[in-house]
Amino acid sequence: MANQWSAVLFDLDGVLCFTDEYHYLAWKRVTDELGIPFDRAVNNRLRGLSRMDSLDIILEQAGRAFTRDEKEALAARKNDIYRGCLAAMSPADLSGDVRETLDALRARGYRLAVGSSSKNAPFILERLGLGGFFDAVADGNLVARSKPDPEVFLKAAELLGEQPERSLLVEDAVAGAEAAHRGGMRVACVGDAAAREAGDYNMASVRELLEIL
Ligand code: B16
Ligand code: MG
């Protein structure tokens, strides 16, 4: 019997690839330069949030206010460091589980899209050898509001021409799972969000999608 979904929306960082470690390293370098405390617990709160929303959380520990220009400069510095890490990525950074799951879902006829807060999403997809693979890409360049607002996922569904309720989201961030629910979607989680049981499905690997779909 056919299930209720015709499209699968994938978060990028933490689901299709593990750029989350590069985000951590880049923010760590910037905060060390400023003398602001930053650790993996704070980094975990940044999953799925936009660059500027992430910086606002990081600066909670700073003990002073920053001007808009200072914040823009810090975000640009972090992005330069982060882009330096991304430049070393290649299709070898795409796991076999992810590649085989994407290919199997495509063979089953699902429409596939990316829904990511990252403004670097097109570059990352190119580095992974996935440029042009997806039927639609909604990313931080197309939306004004960061997860947990559902805007990026509603945009992905719109670009596909699919109803949100016929789209299953795959996420690693609690903020992303909340965004899916606010947008009327169901969500299959991996990683941090799965550990916190934030999903309608909580998976050890994206490969488990092949049992859900
Ligand atoms: P950028 P996702 C998110 O990607 C990351 O999880 C989050 O840590 C990052 O701040 C955000 O992208 C913005 O990234 O600085 O490249 O625009 O998980 O939504 O794919
Ligand atoms: Mg993510």
Side-chain angles (χ1 to χ4, degrees):
M1 192 176 87
N3 66 39
Q4 66 205 89
W5 294 292
S6 49
V8 190
L9 312 184
F10 288 88
D11 173 58
L12 180 60
D13 168 59
V15 171
L16 295 178
C17 59
F18 298 97
T19 39
D20 37 0
E21 183 65 12
Y22 298 148
H23 282 295
Y24 169 74
L25 293 171
W27 282 127
K28 182 70 180 150
R29 179 105 64 89
V30 170
T31 51
D32 281 353
E33 287 167 3
L34 285 169
I36 296 174
F38 179 73
D39 58 20
R40 288 181 189 276
V42 178
N43 190 60
N44 233 11
R45 294 172 58 199
L46 312 181
R47 286 180 188 280
L49 272 56
S50 71
R51 199 178 308 161
M52 294 310 285
D53 285 358
S54 299
L55 182 58
D56 282 337
I57 287 177
I58 289 167
L59 294 180
E60 286 172 5
Q61 312 293 319
R64 75 164 175 98
F66 285 74
T67 66
R68 187 190 176 92
D69 284 353
E70 284 177 315
K71 289 205 270 186
E72 295 285 353
L74 290 173
R77 167 98 180 112
K78 182 267 179 175
N79 197 50
D80 283 348
I81 299 165
Y82 179 60
R83 295 274 298 201
C85 298
L86 297 181
M89 290 178 77
S90 75
D93 288 295
L94 192 65
S95 77
D97 272 359
V98 169
R99 179 83 243 184
E100 289 160 25
T101 302
L102 289 173
D103 289 342
L105 293 176
R106 169 138 294 158
R108 292 182 191 183
Y110 290 99
R111 315 223 36 235
L112 305 177
V114 169
S116 168
S117 295
S118 178
K119 293 185 173 178
N120 293 297
F123 182 60
I124 296 168
L125 291 170
E126 284 294 336
R127 299 303 310 169
L128 292 172
L130 289 175
F133 176 85
F134 289 94
D135 300 305
V137 175
D139 63 27
N141 299 294
L142 295 184
V143 299
R145 295 180 297 280
S146 175
K147 304 168 190 178
D149 190 285
E151 186 181 9
V152 76
F153 298 132
L154 295 176
K155 188 73 189 172
E158 180 194 322
L159 290 172
L160 287 178
E162 296 284 353
Q163 296 299 316
E165 56 272 18
R166 297 206 22 99
S167 304
L168 179 68
L169 172 69
V170 190
E171 254 291 351
D172 73 304
V174 173
E178 185 182 335
H181 289 144
R182 284 202 212 170
M185 298 174 183
R186 299 240 262 158
V187 56
C189 289
V190 292
D192 185 64
R196 293 166 195 267
E197 301 195 338
D200 301 290
Y201 304 92
N202 296 294
M203 310 181 293
S205 159
V206 290
R207 191 178 277 280
E208 289 177 37
L209 284 172
L210 301 178
E211 293 158 29
I212 299 169
L213 290 158

